[in-house]
Amino acid sequence: MAAFLVIGFIGIALLVISLLIGDLLDGILDFGGDLFSGAALAGFLGAFGFAGALVFEATESTLASIVVGIVAGLVVGGGAGFLAMKLKQGGDEANVRTGDLTGHHGTVISAVPADGLGEVTVVVAGHITKLNARSAAAIPAGTPVVVTGILSATAVLVEPLS
């Protein structure tokens, strides 16, 4: 049982080391791509050691301890590797440019008077963009609109959605 506990504590130590100084060492604990990261290895070793120790304490069977430890290690290590890979991939960090807003839908937040300026919000790629808006006809606040043209970097031409 002591061997399983030592393996479990080695996994925890690896995790702490990779979290605290992993970035300082420029990913020295990462190998084999994103799925097989230091976090995945640490998760595998920790789960293998502690699950093996629990099973050995209950059954005193080394073979059962190793089998359960491997299964637990694969589940936890695979999950940690998958999550680390997804975190490194990130999301869509594309910058929203005013020129890309034509055709997108938005909502009037400050009434747009006829041939005057109001304000609209447009959500593109998860980014909320607040812009000045101009329209040929008056549009009250709360009205859904579509961007039909670009007037400047901070102003757009809108029409109510029909």
Side-chain angles (χ1 to χ4, degrees):
M1 182 168 97
F4 288 113
L5 289 176
V6 168
I7 292 171
F9 284 117
I10 288 173
I12 298 296
L14 260 174
L15 180 63
V16 169
I17 289 170
S18 70
L19 288 176
L20 293 179
I21 62 173
D23 287 336
L24 297 176
L25 298 177
D26 198 26
I28 196 166
L29 295 176
D30 291 341
F31 53 90
D34 292 336
L35 186 58
F36 300 108
S37 63
L41 176 64
F44 175 83
L45 290 174
F48 173 81
F50 294 129
L54 284 172
V55 171
F56 187 79
E57 182 67 27
T59 66
E60 295 198 19
S61 169
T62 304
L63 181 61
S65 301
I66 290 172
V67 169
V68 170
I70 288 173
V71 170
L74 288 174
V75 169
V76 172
F82 179 75
L83 290 175
M85 180 178 67
K86 287 297 181 186
L87 286 173
K88 286 181 182 179
Q89 287 177 350
D92 183 16
E93 288 93 18
N95 291 332
V96 177
R97 291 181 171 68
T98 307
D100 299 334
L101 297 178
T102 303
H104 284 85
H105 297 188
T107 304
V108 177
I109 56 173
S110 294
V112 181
D115 294 323
L117 287 176
E119 292 179 318
V120 297
T121 57
V122 180
V123 179
V124 178
H127 298 279
I128 300 173
T129 305
K130 180 179 165 185
L131 299 160
N132 295 318
R134 186 177 296 272
S135 177
I139 305 173
T143 304
V145 293
V146 63
V147 177
T148 58
I150 308 301
L151 301 174
S152 72
T154 59
V156 292
L157 186 61
V158 296
E159 290 179 3
L161 278 174
S162 53

